Amino acid sequence: MDEPRHVSVLLDECIENLNIKPDGIYLDGTLGLGGHSYQIASRLKGGRLICIDRDQTAIDRAGKRLAPFGDKVTFVHGNFSDAAEILEDLGIGAVDGMLFDLGVSSPQLDETQRGFSYLHDAPLDMRMDSSDSLTAYEVVNSWDENRLNRIFWDYGEERYARRITGAILSARQKKPIESTLELVEIIKSAMPAAALREKQHPAKRSFQAIRIAVNDELGAIRQMMDTAPDKLRKGGRLCVISFHSLEDRIVKTGIAARENGCTCPREAPICTCGFVQTLKSVTRKPILPSAEETERNPRARSAKLRVAERV
């Protein structure tokens, strides 16, 4: 069986902004198939790279790709939200750079049995870590009306959230909703004809919402932004790639809280609130993929890279 194809998003921009030192210690908190990690590891001489992923399958695959780098690379099956704790457990006090690519990896989307795709039929799963207990099946078939409506509206930014929730509730009264394409048809049945003619697939936002809920993705990002930057050395870089506005907002707010968190009145001569700046933005606006990259890799279209430095 061929290895899945994956194109790392904003690869050159990430490597440039990490300012990799040959003897530095770096962390890739979202390993995936190891595209970013390979480029980091190839620039290390006496340094070290810590690679984290929730998906053991991803670790197994990337492990083969990164095998030539030997013990310079350490793999950890875990959640990027626990990056600071993972480094503590490894006895690493501080690192020179961190990278977090918050997108779903291409294999997770392309391998139909994982249930992430609205284009292929599969059991309702969507777990990034197959050892987790919560699945898309449970979300769709057991969550109440308010909870379903909230995730479609908040996580999917779906304007037909109430209609889709109503259609799901009605369908599951007759029988459990078991497969991805079954759910797609229910979603489509709730949407007006004009919405079905839009360029974007009608189930895209709803599937995004369910995936975020199953994997508690936004909670993981908040925890990472609250704790991981404390493990950066002075001058160390934090690079975070997000793919939709909810993710980017958390990253932007997390950096701002460490950069401009002083609550003293503007007219106060000195700071008395106790705020200590720990990050500064390297670029005020997020770095976006080039036209050439989006043409080569359409999945990069919505990507935004924010870079901050430890002060």
Side-chain angles (χ1 to χ4, degrees):
M1 183 178 175
D2 293 337
E3 284 295 304
R5 180 177 177 273
H6 176 70
V7 181
S8 298
V9 173
L10 290 163
L11 178 59
D12 294 339
E13 293 85 350
C14 287
I15 299 304
E16 178 184 350
N17 279 282
L18 279 172
N19 283 349
I20 298 169
K21 300 185 293 186
D23 60 348
I25 302 175
Y26 295 86
L27 179 139
D28 184 346
T30 46
L31 172 63
L33 283 182
H36 291 105
S37 281
Y38 188 93
Q39 293 301 323
I40 296 171
S42 67
R43 288 163 170 76
L44 298 178
K45 302 302 180 187
R48 186 176 179 189
L49 173 63
I50 313 302
C51 298
I52 304 171
D53 206 286
R54 298 175 70 169
D55 188 346
Q56 185 60 48
T57 302
I59 292 175
D60 295 340
R61 284 174 171 154
K64 296 176 184 177
R65 185 176 189 178
L66 298 171
F69 301 109
D71 58 7
K72 283 196 294 188
V73 181
T74 300
F75 299 96
V76 179
H77 181 213
N79 195 321
F80 68 80
S81 63
D82 300 320
E85 184 178 340
I86 288 169
L87 290 172
E88 284 285 343
D89 291 343
L90 293 172
I92 298 173
V95 299
D96 297 284
M98 296 179 169
L99 170 64
F100 299 92
D101 178 346
L102 305 179
V104 181
S105 70
S106 295
Q108 290 173 334
L109 290 171
D110 296 337
E111 293 173 352
T112 57
Q113 72 272 18
R114 303 293 296 271
F116 286 97
S117 175
Y118 41 77
L119 300 176
H120 306 283
D121 205 21
L124 282 170
D125 193 325
M126 301 195 197
R127 290 175 297 175
M128 291 181 176
D129 183 346
S130 58
S131 66
D132 288 344
S133 57
L134 182 63
T135 66
Y137 178 92
E138 182 177 344
V139 170
V140 169
N141 287 288
S142 67
W143 282 20
D144 64 28
E145 179 178 2
N146 288 338
R147 206 172 180 190
L148 283 175
N149 187 63
R150 182 178 63 82
I151 66 167
F152 290 137
W153 182 260
D154 291 345
Y155 298 171
E157 299 176 314
E158 173 56 71
R159 61 187 184 277
Y160 302 112
R162 291 194 180 278
R163 296 173 65 157
I164 292 169
T165 296
I168 289 172
L169 295 175
S170 177
R172 77 187 196 190
Q173 284 182 340
K174 302 167 188 172
K175 63 176 285 296
I177 303 166
E178 298 180 346
S179 76
T180 51
L181 291 189
E182 186 180 354
L183 178 59
V184 167
E185 290 306 311
I186 292 168
I187 292 168
K188 289 167 69 175
S189 74
M191 302 177 79
L196 299 178
R197 291 192 295 268
E198 292 176 1
K199 185 176 180 180
Q200 181 171 270
H201 192 285
K204 180 178 181 179
R205 290 182 292 265
S206 297
F207 268 58
Q208 171 184 293
I210 296 168
R211 189 203 77 223
I212 289 172
V214 167
N215 298 288
D216 188 24
E217 294 176 33
L218 301 186
I221 298 169
R222 289 188 187 97
Q223 184 175 329
M224 178 270 287
M225 290 301 301
D226 284 345
T227 58
D230 293 329
K231 287 295 183 179
L232 282 169
R233 287 194 178 96
K234 185 175 181 179
R237 292 286 182 87
L238 171 69
C239 295
V240 186
I241 305 172
S242 62
F243 287 83
H244 60 76
S245 59
L246 296 172
E247 295 172 342
D248 181 59
R249 197 175 304 137
I250 295 171
V251 176
K252 179 181 179 181
T253 302
I255 294 173
R258 290 172 170 271
E259 184 172 23
N260 305 305
C262 178
T263 59
C264 296
R266 288 183 178 275
E267 62 272 15
I270 60 170
C271 173
T272 57
C273 71
F275 170 73
V276 177
Q277 181 183 4
T278 54
L279 288 180
K280 68 174 181 180
S281 298
V282 173
T283 58
R284 285 295 160 189
K285 292 186 177 181
I287 299 168
L288 305 179
S290 65
E292 292 79 10
E293 178 171 4
T294 56
E295 183 176 352
R296 185 174 67 249
N297 179 19
R299 286 179 178 168
R301 278 194 303 264
S302 59
K304 292 181 179 180
L305 169 63
R306 291 192 183 271
V307 183
E309 184 174 289
R310 183 68 191 262
V311 296

